[in-house]
């Protein structure tokens, strides 16, 4: 919920808010970390490389369970990107100073960010669907069974467009709500009490990243499945 | 008058959604516990489905909370 108050500066018509600068920082940190981890790949990995390997292995196992081996291998990069990016964004809100310092705010507590993520997720689903099943086949699947197509087509289309909206609202609502509740608790009693909410946030941040990517992979597996 | 009504509406928006979601989540969790007790070897996949369905229900409360925050902003 930004009302132009926390615009830092603007590039042409684009207004750069604290959320945007935080995302730039996150992108830079993630890029640097992955560059450091893969700079000199060794047979016997060092600490950073083995940490990265364990994380990627776990993520891959998680998606193979959801999507099946073949599709999970093929589209792993986009799912892993979504997961890692969202989870780092969520956890960035727990760092001291988030939301108070200029140019540092929880990115996923802004509807524009989550709507952007959901838009990418929407196109991901349909591009993968068309690639796997062909244009005609994929779009005909929205009108199945054919004798009920006048009923099923509008229903399916509405569902397709509600999905990104619910993805965006869920992530935004959870993160924004958490932040607001912590803030209100701080106003009521500043010592110790907001900590309870912060501990819960540790769990919820992970859960929201998991739910976002799990729903995305369910949508994708629906898009690629053959009847 | 108007701000009082808005405050009441905000409270109801959160309270009703939270109550309904709590009932739904309680039923879901108890069924999942039953299922795990009956088939401990399937605990992993049951837990996954449980987390997803709880999160989907949680979203409804979050929508209510968003509306409540918006209404509070109007007072």
């Amino acid at each position: 919920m930004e009302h132009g108050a926390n615009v830092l500066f603007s590039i042409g018509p684009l207004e750069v808010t604290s959320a945007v600068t935080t995302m730039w920082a996150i992108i830079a940190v993630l890029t640097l970390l992955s560059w450091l981890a893969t700079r000199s790949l060794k047979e016997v990995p060092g600490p950073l490389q083995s940490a990265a390997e364990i994380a990627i292995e776990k993520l891959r196992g998680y998606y193979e369970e959801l999507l099946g081996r073949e599709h999970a291998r093929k589209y792993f990069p986009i799912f892993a990107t979504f997961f890692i990016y969202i989870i780092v964004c969520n956890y960035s809100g727990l760092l001291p100073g988030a939301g108070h310092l200029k140019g540092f705010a929880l990115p996923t507590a802004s509807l524009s960010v989550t709507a952007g993520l959901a838009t990418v997720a929407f196109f991901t689903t349909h591009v993968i669907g068309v690639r796997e099943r062909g244009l005609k086949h994929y779009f005909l699947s929205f009108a199945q069974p054919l004798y009920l197509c006048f009923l099923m087509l509008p229903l399916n289309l509405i569902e397709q467009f509600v999905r990104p909206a619910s993805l965006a609202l869920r992530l935004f609502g959870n993160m924004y709500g958490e932040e607001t509740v912590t803030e209100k608790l701080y106003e009521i009693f500043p010592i110790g009490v907001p900590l309870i909410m912060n501990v819960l946030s540790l769990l919820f941040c992970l859960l929201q990243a998991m739910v976002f990517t799990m729903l995305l992979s369910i949508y994708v597996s629906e898009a690629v499945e053959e009847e | 008058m108007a701000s009082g009504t808005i405050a009441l509406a905000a409270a109801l928006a959160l309270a009703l959604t939270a109550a309904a979601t709590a009932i739904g989540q309680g039923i879901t969790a108890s069924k999942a516990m039953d299922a795990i007790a009956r088939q401990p070897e399937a605990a992993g996949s049951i837990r996954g489905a449980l987390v997803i369905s709880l999160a989907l229900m949680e979203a409804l409360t979050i929508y209510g909370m968003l509306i409540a925050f918006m209404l509070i902003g109007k007072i």
Side-chain angles (χ1 to χ4, degrees):
Chain A
M1 300 250 156
E2 284 148 55
H3 305 289
N6 47 15
V7 173
L8 294 175
F9 56 92
S10 44
I11 307 171
L14 298 173
E15 288 170 338
V16 175
T17 60
S18 300
V20 178
T21 49
T22 314
M23 286 196 291
W24 287 345
I26 288 168
I27 293 167
V29 167
L30 283 178
T31 313
L32 187 70
L33 268 182
S34 32
W35 179 73
L36 282 177
T38 56
R39 187 176 38 163
S40 53
L41 291 174
K42 286 189 221 87
E43 200 74 9
V44 181
L48 194 58
Q49 190 192 334
S50 39
E53 273 177 8
I54 291 169
I56 294 298
E57 280 297 315
K58 288 267 179 222
L59 267 180
R60 176 168 281 174
Y62 172 68
Y63 286 117
E64 275 177 4
E65 222 170 85
L66 286 167
L67 270 176
R69 201 177 172 79
E70 188 200 340
H71 292 310
R73 294 259 152 161
K74 207 161 161 191
Y75 299 113
F76 179 69
I78 186 134
F79 293 120
T81 308
F82 263 115
F83 183 83
I84 294 171
Y85 187 63
I86 292 174
I87 199 169
V88 174
C89 277
N90 288 351
Y91 277 136
S92 76
L94 290 175
L95 293 176
H100 296 288
L101 298 178
K102 224 173 163 56
F104 183 25
L106 175 56
T108 41
S110 136
L111 187 54
S112 344
V113 175
T114 56
L117 286 170
T119 313
V120 178
F122 176 79
F123 284 109
T124 307
T125 320
H126 295 300
V127 168
I128 292 177
V130 169
R131 265 183 65 172
E132 291 290 320
R133 293 167 66 180
L135 199 61
K136 190 175 149 226
H137 222 73
Y138 180 62
F139 284 112
L140 268 181
S141 73
F142 291 133
Q144 295 291 351
L146 271 178
Y147 59 91
L148 273 177
C149 74
F150 62 93
L151 197 64
M152 294 310 285
L153 191 63
L155 272 181
N156 280 329
L157 286 183
I158 290 170
E159 197 197 349
Q160 294 300 325
F161 284 99
V162 164
R163 277 170 177 184
S166 82
L167 274 181
L169 273 178
R170 179 176 304 114
L171 187 57
F172 161 69
N174 271 292
M175 289 301 128
Y176 174 74
E178 239 162 58
E179 233 189 8
T180 316
V181 170
T182 317
E183 215 173 277
K184 294 285 169 204
L185 281 178
Y186 181 80
E187 277 169 22
I188 295 166
F189 192 75
I191 304 163
V193 179
L195 200 64
I196 304 167
M197 201 57 209
N198 275 346
V199 173
L200 276 178
S201 297
L202 277 177
L203 177 67
F204 288 152
C205 290
L206 171 70
L207 215 60
Q208 284 312 313
M210 262 174 70
V211 164
F212 191 101
T213 45
M214 198 183 259
L215 283 173
L216 177 60
S217 65
I218 289 169
Y219 296 160
V220 168
S221 69
E222 241 170 52
V224 298
E225 83 185 0
E226 304 280 343
E227 273 112 74
Chain B
M1 170 59 198
S3 68
T5 321
I6 291 174
L8 195 61
L12 278 179
L14 188 49
L16 290 179
T17 48
T21 310
I23 294 171
Q25 289 193 332
I27 293 172
T28 314
S30 85
K31 296 275 179 194
M33 293 303 134
D34 282 353
I36 291 177
R38 206 171 297 134
Q39 263 185 313
E41 65 272 21
S45 57
I46 292 170
R47 200 172 298 125
L50 175 67
V51 168
I52 285 293
S53 44
L54 287 184
L56 286 176
M57 278 181 257
E58 195 69 36
L60 302 176
T61 322
I62 298 294
Y63 296 158
M65 188 165 80
L66 274 181
I67 300 292
F69 280 137
M70 282 176 192
L71 285 174
I72 284 175
K74 284 217 161 95
I75 292 177

